[in-house]
Amino acid sequence: MKRQPLLILVCCFILGILFQDYFSFKQNFILTIAIFCFLIAISTFIKSFFISKFNSILLGLLFFGLGICLHYLNFPNASQVSFQPNENIVFKISKKLNSSEKNKKYEAIVQIGKETFNSVVLIPKGSKELDFEHYYKAKAYVSQPQSPQYDFQFDYAKYLHRKNIFYQCYINDEVSSAIRNDLSFGEKISQKRLEVLQEINHSEMSSKSQEFLKGIILADRTEIDSETLQDFNRSGLVHFLAISGTHVVVIFGMLYFILMKILPLKFRKSVIILSLAFIWFFALFIGLGNSVVRSCIMLTVYFVYMLIQRKPDLLHSLALSAFIILIIDTQQFFDVGFQLSFLAVFGIFWLNQPILKYLPRQDNYLKKIIFNTVSISISAQLATLPLVLYYFHQFSFVSIVANFFIVPFSEVIIIFSFLMAGLMALGLDFGIINIVYNFIIDLLLKIIHWFADFESLFFENISMNFAEVSVLFIVIYLLKFIIVKFNVKRFSQFSWVVLFFFILRISFTIYENQREEILVHQYRKSNVISVKKGNVVCFWIQHLDDEKKIRQYIINPYVSSRRVKSFKIKQLPASSEKVVFNNKVYDLK
């Protein structure tokens, strides 16, 4: 508690959030917790031997209780809206979402009669783009998203609920519009961003360069083709495409460098303040996405320490940033990006310097750039690996090499892309610059595709549960001590934990392989039948044309959840009443 008090208190706060999320305590219990927290807060002003002795424990309980109470207040409740399946709705969009194969998606504020609620609105992909300057009216099929049938499937309904969205509106008819005269400041900024995106669409760059530019600078990945996204995922470079801490730091550093060249050294504090103000304006312009806001808060906290002439403490800055974000919205903790970004920073703090000592001596600027990139990349990937396996069930060994080659050039690409977006925003479109940018991005995408093609180094459907993830984090924690100073005692501790991990993993695998089950999965208007026996499973699909999507949403999650070694896919005639698997007949009635 004495060395990192805020970090420990934030951990207690997070435990309170998890406690409330799991048990869902009601109002009377929350009121009791709130009174208990108030009494603890009062007791901190009372000087007595007993209270002083247990002061650290009381503070931990206080933050634990605050986590419970704030998460109760932040938990969205479904507004009771009475509607018919087909309704005339009036709506305005609040955010553009990633498109599907058939539909464009938007977050919107929808009105039916006198009732207003948040919803996802879906319109046919060929429809005209919606904007923030209009109200829209259309006939829509209104429904509530349902939780999945089985625990291994992604719970899209719960994901929307955490964003206070409880409805979906499907529009197939014509959409009429009316000009708005009540745009807020934020909506005006969003509309300007939308206009810049349209300017990029009308430029002479190739479509892939346009989508890359919109994704890397304006946080718009809504139209990126699936093949490009797959290449970034398989090469472990998806963080490069999404707006993250790297982008914010590079843009901050660019402006800081320019201003320091223009202004005298005595204005250094003013330069920091101006640079911080600019990145916050940039965050507002691109829609205040969760990842960019996290990065801006972390960077702001770090430089505030410098402004008040205190030595920056990375862990203290990390804890304070997390606390600010979670006080604003406790639901942010359940965002995968939140967990991965903070783990990556912690991994850099924990492992970067020990790994750097084993790399060749950095006796010039080029070597410092190269070897720091390698050590930071390895540290971040090691720290986030357990969660990556837990959430995505895939890993590519080529990602380490890909990051080594691509990340050193990311600063140049981000700055070039930022300048390109700036020119587009000003209505300037230079043909020669477009050609150069097009060439660079085309080359970059080809290199990433080349990395993604190493199928033998890419592993998917990796099973991983919470217990295994917890032990893996202990392994990574102990790894530092072996790197810093290798001895028999430390190696023995590390080896015992690794051995325990494999025992645990083998035990879960044996347990799953003893189970036999038949499941009926719903996909659109058809059924998918799975029969599992031991570590083998067979899937019967009615329409093989849907195989790719069924693999993504049903087969792969099932295989990783049930630790299946191999699977088969067969076509199931619509009139089938029985299936045969491993010489055994299964009745589908």
Side-chain angles (χ1 to χ4, degrees):
M1 180 69 87
K2 291 181 180 179
R3 296 186 63 181
Q4 291 295 337
L6 186 56
L7 179 64
I8 295 172
L9 292 177
V10 170
C11 288
C12 293
F13 185 75
I14 290 171
L15 284 175
I17 293 172
L18 293 171
F19 205 71
Q20 170 61 20
D21 196 78
Y22 184 80
F23 290 103
S24 299
F25 294 118
K26 302 303 179 184
Q27 185 176 356
N28 290 338
F29 185 84
I30 297 299
L31 184 61
T32 304
I33 294 293
I35 294 171
F36 181 69
C37 290
F38 178 75
L39 293 175
I40 292 178
I42 294 295
S43 70
T44 57
F45 296 98
I46 302 173
K47 294 183 178 179
S48 70
F49 174 77
F50 179 80
I51 291 176
S52 299
K53 188 175 181 181
F54 295 98
N55 193 48
S56 298
I57 297 174
L58 290 175
L59 279 175
L61 290 173
L62 173 62
F63 274 72
F64 178 76
L66 285 175
I68 293 174
C69 295
L70 278 179
H71 192 55
Y72 170 79
L73 295 174
N74 275 324
F75 202 85
N77 293 312
S79 53
Q80 298 301 318
V81 179
S82 56
F83 58 86
Q84 299 296 322
N86 290 293
E87 286 275 8
N88 289 314
I89 65 170
V90 176
F91 66 95
K92 62 178 181 179
I93 67 168
S94 53
K95 187 178 181 181
K96 185 180 178 183
L97 303 175
N98 291 345
S99 301
S100 64
E101 290 182 353
K102 295 183 177 180
N103 298 297
K104 293 178 180 178
K105 293 183 180 181
Y106 301 88
E107 285 183 15
I109 299 173
V110 177
Q111 183 174 354
I112 298 178
K114 294 182 179 181
E115 297 176 301
T116 303
F117 55 90
N118 295 325
S119 174
V120 172
V121 171
L122 300 95
I123 64 173
K125 204 165 187 179
S127 303
K128 184 180 177 181
E129 194 76 55
L130 305 184
D131 59 40
F132 295 86
E133 293 184 322
H134 292 84
Y135 283 110
Y136 296 96
K137 184 177 181 179
K139 192 167 186 178
Y141 175 78
V142 184
S143 65
Q144 290 183 291
Q146 300 299 314
S147 294
Q149 295 170 275
Y150 306 110
D151 59 351
F152 59 84
Q153 294 175 292
F154 174 64
D155 194 340
Y156 183 61
K158 191 172 184 179
Y159 168 78
L160 291 179
H161 293 173
R162 292 195 185 280
K163 300 172 71 175
N164 199 26
I165 297 173
F166 295 88
Y167 300 93
Q168 293 183 112
C169 298
Y170 297 85
I171 299 174
N172 287 316
D173 294 336
E174 184 178 347
V175 179
S176 59
S177 61
I179 292 289
R180 293 180 57 190
N181 55 11
D182 58 347
L183 265 71
S184 66
F185 176 73
E187 288 173 328
K188 290 178 181 177
I189 295 292
S190 298
Q191 179 61 29
K192 179 61 181 176
R193 171 176 173 265
L194 194 61
E195 291 170 4
V196 175
L197 292 171
Q198 291 168 351
E199 287 288 337
I200 294 173
N201 286 336
H202 296 147
S203 69
E204 295 179 357
M205 291 184 291
S206 68
S207 60
K208 287 200 172 185
S209 295
Q210 291 174 2
E211 299 308 330
F212 180 85
L213 176 58
K214 290 190 290 184
I216 196 174
I217 295 299
L218 297 175
D220 186 286
R221 296 164 56 188
T222 57
E223 303 299 331
I224 294 180
D225 63 274
S226 58
E227 291 182 0
T228 302
L229 279 176
Q230 185 177 7
D231 287 345
F232 275 93
N233 280 317
R234 284 179 170 267
S235 60
L237 291 166
V238 70
H239 62 88
F240 180 54
L241 186 61
I243 295 287
S244 63
T246 303
H247 301 69
V248 172
V249 169
V250 168
I251 294 169
F252 174 89
M254 177 188 67
L255 186 64
Y256 179 83
F257 176 80
I258 294 171
L259 291 176
M260 284 303 294
K261 291 294 182 182
I262 298 172
L263 300 174
L265 186 62
K266 65 180 180 179
F267 291 107
R268 182 169 177 265
K269 287 187 177 180
S270 299
V271 169
I272 292 175
I273 293 171
L274 286 172
S275 301
L276 289 174
F278 180 80
I279 63 165
W280 276 106
F281 175 77
F282 172 70
L284 176 64
F285 184 78
I286 64 175
L288 292 174
N290 293 339
S291 60
V292 70
V293 169
R294 283 195 298 269
S295 303
C296 288
I297 289 176
M298 292 171 72
L299 195 67
T300 302
V301 168
Y302 185 83
F303 277 99
V304 164
Y305 273 90
M306 296 183 65
L307 290 173
I308 62 177
Q309 297 182 339
R310 287 188 60 182
K311 183 181 178 181
D313 184 309
L314 184 59
L315 281 186
H316 198 72
S317 303
L318 189 72
L320 185 57
S321 303
F323 191 51
I324 292 170
I325 293 168
L326 293 176
I327 281 180
I328 296 170
D329 182 12
T330 55
Q331 298 291 345
Q332 283 291 311
F333 179 77
F334 302 95
D335 185 284
V336 178
F338 175 94
Q339 297 173 24
L340 291 176
S341 60
F342 279 93
L343 267 177
V345 176
F346 182 80
I348 293 168
F349 164 82
W350 191 248
L351 294 172
N352 182 50
Q353 288 302 319
I355 291 174
L356 201 58
K357 290 179 181 178
Y358 281 84
L359 297 176
R361 185 178 178 184
Q362 302 95 53
D363 51 7
N364 61 54
Y365 180 76
L366 182 60
K367 286 184 178 179
K368 284 183 180 179
I369 291 292
I370 293 174
F371 294 124
N372 269 280
T373 300
V374 173
S375 61
I376 288 173
S377 178
I378 293 173
S379 302
Q381 289 192 63
L382 280 174
T384 56
L385 179 61
L387 275 192
V388 168
L389 297 178
Y390 179 70
Y391 285 118
F392 306 110
H393 304 289
Q394 63 182 33
F395 179 73
S396 176
F397 282 102
V398 80
S399 64
I400 299 172
V401 182
N403 276 278
F404 172 73
F405 280 99
I406 300 299
V407 171
F409 302 103
S410 63
E411 185 173 339
V412 175
I413 294 171
I414 291 170
I415 291 173
F416 194 3
S417 299
F418 182 79
L419 294 175
M420 288 291 293
L423 291 173
M424 298 286 181
L426 296 172
L428 303 174
D429 191 7
F430 299 102
I432 185 67
I433 300 179
N434 287 344
I435 292 171
V436 174
Y437 186 79
N438 214 43
F439 172 77
I440 292 173
I441 301 307
D442 185 57
L443 180 62
L444 174 69
L445 295 178
K446 285 181 179 178
I447 293 172
I448 292 172
H449 180 72
W450 181 76
F451 279 119
D453 266 352
F454 284 89
E455 296 285 344
S456 59
L457 297 177
F458 180 76
F459 300 90
E460 60 181 348
N461 299 332
I462 302 171
S463 58
M464 187 68 58
N465 61 28
F466 183 75
E468 292 167 307
V469 168
S470 302
V471 178
L472 266 186
F473 278 127
I474 298 173
V475 170
I476 293 168
Y477 173 80
L478 295 175
L479 181 63
K480 175 184 177 179
F481 301 105
I482 293 181
I483 297 173
V484 171
K485 185 179 179 181
F486 183 87
N487 59 42
V488 175
K489 182 180 178 182
R490 291 180 175 182
F491 181 73
S492 176
Q493 291 174 340
F494 179 80
S495 300
W496 277 113
V497 177
V498 171
L499 179 63
F500 178 70
F501 169 77
F502 282 108
I503 292 173
L504 193 68
R505 187 167 180 79
I506 292 169
S507 300
F508 281 119
T509 302
I510 292 173
Y511 171 76
E512 287 293 344
N513 289 344
Q514 289 178 341
R515 295 174 60 187
E516 294 186 18
E517 64 180 358
I518 305 174
L519 297 180
V520 179
H521 317 263
Q522 291 182 343
Y523 179 75
R524 293 179 179 172
K525 295 182 179 180
S526 61
N527 290 332
V528 176
I529 311 297
S530 68
V531 178
K532 175 182 174 295
K533 188 174 183 180
N535 60 3
V536 181
V537 63
C538 187
F539 294 90
W540 279 270
I541 302 173
Q542 291 181 356
H543 307 289
L544 290 179
D545 293 340
D546 297 329
E547 182 180 335
K548 185 177 179 180
K549 288 295 182 182
I550 291 173
R551 274 178 177 265
Q552 181 181 353
Y553 297 116
I554 295 177
I555 295 177
N556 288 345
Y558 181 86
V559 168
S560 58
S561 171
R562 300 298 191 261
R563 301 173 185 262
V564 171
K565 186 177 181 180
S566 62
F567 63 89
K568 301 175 184 178
I569 299 175
K570 297 181 180 180
Q571 188 168 13
L572 178 70
S575 58
S576 297
E577 296 182 354
K578 297 180 180 181
V579 295
V580 179
F581 179 57
N582 282 356
N583 300 319
K584 187 174 180 180
V585 179
Y586 295 90
D587 196 339
L588 301 182
K589 291 182 179 180

